[in-house]
Amino acid sequence: MSQNNKHTPESIDAQLAELQKGYISKLSEKLQAIMVLWNTYTANKNDADELHKLYRAVHSVAGTSAMLNITEVHQICAEIELILLQMLNPEADEISDHTKLHQLFSQLQILLSNNDFKAMPINLNEHRS
């Protein structure tokens, strides 16, 4: 790569901002899919396949939201992810805190209904010394 084509931290920040914007534009669709999976799972209790699908979808949104500074979505999905991971463990006792899981999905539904996905700007310059 020549010096003229070198990416600057500012140009990378701009690219990350575009990625963030694009992801947020699709986030309602991703959260709606999670809610459908949640409703399907709750209707078909003890369906391991449905639980795995739900976990994978939540895990994906939690990770991408963390990378793109969509903090509230990340925090809710990360908490859901931990509970679902416990549920996927065949050696774990029956999960006792179904109430917390239902509360988290309710919070996710509120974010989805409000279409309110706040994101902190990504600024690589702040992380450079």
Side-chain angles (χ1 to χ4, degrees):
M1 181 178 282
S2 73
Q3 289 294 91
N4 293 339
N5 292 334
K6 193 172 186 178
H7 291 286
T8 65
E10 292 79 15
S11 71
I12 294 170
D13 286 344
Q15 290 173 353
L16 289 171
E18 283 301 311
L19 281 172
Q20 187 183 58
K21 183 179 174 182
Y23 187 77
I24 288 172
S25 73
K26 297 174 186 168
L27 194 51
S28 288
E29 183 179 312
K30 292 177 184 303
L31 294 180
Q32 186 62 47
I34 286 173
M35 295 308 298
V36 168
L37 289 168
W38 168 244
N39 291 331
T40 301
Y41 173 74
T42 57
N44 302 310
K45 291 266 189 229
N46 300 321
D47 186 330
D49 288 338
E50 295 299 329
L51 185 59
H52 280 278
K53 289 178 192 175
L54 178 60
Y55 173 79
R56 284 192 302 268
V58 170
H59 174 75
S60 176
V61 170
T64 306
S65 295
M67 287 188 295
L68 295 177
N69 286 347
I70 308 166
T71 309
E72 192 171 13
V73 172
H74 162 69
Q75 289 172 341
I76 294 169
C77 287
E79 284 189 63
I80 292 170
E81 180 182 14
L82 287 175
I83 295 171
L84 295 178
L85 190 57
Q86 291 172 0
M87 293 169 67
L88 286 167
N89 182 352
E91 297 173 8
D93 294 330
E94 177 68 21
I95 184 163
S96 60
D97 201 359
H98 288 284
T99 303
K100 179 66 175 173
L101 193 57
H102 285 278
Q103 288 172 344
L104 290 166
F105 275 103
S106 293
Q107 290 174 10
L108 204 58
Q109 182 62 54
I110 290 168
L111 283 179
L112 178 59
S113 297
N114 293 338
N115 200 25
D116 185 23
F117 312 119
K118 295 178 183 79
M120 298 294 295
I122 300 171
N123 188 340
L124 294 181
N125 284 326
E126 291 176 3
H127 302 290
R128 297 188 188 275
S129 28

